[in-house]
Amino acid sequence: MGNRKYRILVSGGGTGGHIFPALSIANALKRRLDVEILFVGAENRMEMEKVPAAGYPIKGLPVAGFDRKRLWRNIGVLLKLRKSMQMANDIVREFKPDIAIGVGGYCSGPTLKAAQKQGIPTLLQEQNSYAGVTNKLLAKKADKICVAYDGMERFFPADKIIKTGNPVRKALTEKSQDSAKARESFGLHPTKPTVLVVGGSLGALTLNESMERGLRELVESGIQVIWQTGKNFGDRGEKAAKGLTGVVVTKFISDMGSAYAASDLVVSRAGAGSISELELLGKPCVLVPSPNVSEDHQTKNAMALVDKDAAVLVTDAEAREKLTPTIMELMGDKARLERMHENIGKLAVRDSDERIVDEVVKIIGAI
């Protein structure tokens, strides 16, 4: 491949589930190659803050998602898409990348399309078990499609697919932690059974309201709780926990490695990134898929685990009634937890970022 510096365009975002894998891939590229990396994101989305904080330059496009319920609003969406296509063409022409990598999200559509039009090789990374619309549209002209689940030939050309898994934050897997010490770091009893409830940086209203209703019952049954409410739940979590011992309520958990290590069971949404973390760490889990996602893909992600007895699914509609009794039943069944731990661990794909970079190297090495 010679000693020249490679220029790599990375596009995608909108949620942490797209941004964290993109940053993991970028970091792995930097470890392996002499590269200049440019990100392309959507204006006013979280990547415009997270990517520069990680040390990478980013350009924003005014692209937005289609409004399926209020169709009249899509006139503005189409105008933004047209402008985004023009801007993406200019970015690709000026940056002259050796390859463009798309990780999903609104912005990767115009960016990868522009790269394909200009004859630039493209690699897609599909995190979910049900492919997103953007990646499906880009797949025909992509050079390689990196996936995390089996059976993705339903959506993509089989000869382009490679199973790499989803990259996760290195900090989670670099050091294994003792569960007793991890619990003590949260101010909890070192040996009592502990459940972690996490709904993302904004929080998940269904999970929060379910915990609000069931928290006292869980604590009275001897279960400790680490409850990450996110920033949109105000002080309702603290109010629900008032007077209870063995409960940690926090809007944000900075050390997720310790939170996972402290827990016997994790309650979570079923985003692809979260599931990949749970697989790598072998964590028994109750998944409550978000109903507010395209193609109901979180339910499909969750069922890929449920079908292998690696997780339990509680629907969003039933969670307020069923989540607490489900947690209590599982926490009282150590054999079931151990079985789930073994089964979910078998699904993990390790070193996903390196596997993806292997494919990038093959593509740009052939130029």
Side-chain angles (χ1 to χ4, degrees), residues 53-358:
Y56 295 101
I58 186 167
K59 291 182 181 287
L61 303 180
V63 67
F66 282 93
D67 192 325
R68 291 181 173 90
K69 292 178 182 172
R70 294 162 291 189
L71 295 177
W72 68 89
R73 292 196 172 189
N74 290 324
I75 295 169
V77 172
L78 288 169
L79 291 172
K80 286 181 177 180
L81 180 60
R82 187 178 172 186
K83 187 181 179 187
S84 296
M85 282 299 309
Q86 292 169 345
M87 290 172 67
N89 274 314
D90 291 342
I91 291 167
V92 172
R93 196 173 294 112
E94 288 168 20
F95 186 63
K96 296 183 177 66
D98 293 289
I99 189 170
I101 299 170
V103 297
Y106 305 138
C107 56
S108 66
T111 308
L112 274 283
K113 191 77 177 167
Q116 289 176 347
K117 272 187 176 177
Q118 293 181 39
I120 306 296
T122 55
L123 177 143
L124 307 179
Q125 201 248 331
E126 175 55 62
Q127 289 112 25
N128 292 295
S129 61
Y130 194 93
V133 174
T134 301
N135 278 347
K136 282 193 276 190
L137 292 172
L138 294 167
K140 191 176 178 184
K141 292 187 176 177
D143 290 70
K144 195 62 86 174
I145 304 162
C146 298
V147 302
Y149 292 88
D150 294 325
M152 298 303 285
E153 58 276 0
R154 290 176 295 157
F155 310 108
F156 302 132
D159 60 328
K160 295 183 178 185
I161 295 171
I162 182 157
K163 189 177 178 183
T164 59
N166 286 325
V168 303
R169 294 169 278 186
K170 280 278 184 215
L172 294 179
T173 55
E174 277 177 341
K175 54 175 185 177
S176 59
Q177 290 196 19
D178 176 74
S179 60
K181 286 181 181 172
R183 286 174 193 147
E184 286 178 332
S185 74
F186 283 94
L188 296 171
H189 192 281
T191 60
K192 280 191 176 178
T194 304
V195 63
L196 168 65
V197 182
V198 59
S201 57
L202 298 177
L205 186 62
T206 300
L207 295 188
N208 285 336
E209 290 188 342
S210 301
M211 292 307 299
E212 193 176 42
R213 290 178 67 167
L215 189 62
R216 181 171 293 277
E217 191 178 354
L218 289 172
V219 171
E220 287 176 352
S221 73
I223 297 169
Q224 298 184 130
V225 179
I226 301 172
W227 175 15
Q228 186 245 308
T229 64
K231 61 185 182 184
N232 288 351
F233 202 55
D235 61 357
R236 286 170 64 179
E238 286 87 348
K239 285 180 178 173
K242 196 169 182 182
L244 299 177
T245 56
V247 180
V248 175
V249 178
T250 179
K251 289 181 172 61
F252 180 74
I253 298 172
S254 56
D255 185 0
M256 276 303 296
S258 290
Y260 280 132
S263 63
D264 300 288
L265 179 72
V266 179
V267 178
S268 172
R269 287 302 201 190
S274 299
I275 286 179
S276 294
E277 291 177 356
L278 293 166
E279 288 174 346
L280 277 168
L281 297 169
K283 282 289 160 185
C285 55
V286 178
L287 299 173
V288 186
S290 170
N292 309 311
V293 294
S294 60
E295 313 285 356
D296 194 27
H297 69 251
Q298 286 204 5
T299 296
K300 296 174 177 79
N301 290 349
M303 287 308 299
L305 273 67
V306 172
D307 288 344
K308 295 189 164 93
D309 193 20
V312 171
L313 185 149
V314 173
T315 67
D316 190 84
E318 295 178 326
R320 289 170 181 83
E321 298 295 329
K322 289 192 174 179
L323 187 57
T324 298
T326 300
I327 292 169
M328 290 172 67
E329 182 183 340
L330 286 169
M331 293 291 267
D333 189 345
K334 286 190 176 178
R336 178 88 193 274
L337 288 177
E338 183 57 35
R339 192 163 70 246
M340 288 168 68
H341 159 69
E342 286 180 14
N343 290 342
I344 195 168
K346 289 174 189 171
L347 301 176
V349 181
R350 302 185 186 281
D351 300 318
S352 297
D353 52 354
E354 298 290 344
R355 290 167 182 251
I356 292 166
V357 172
D358 286 343

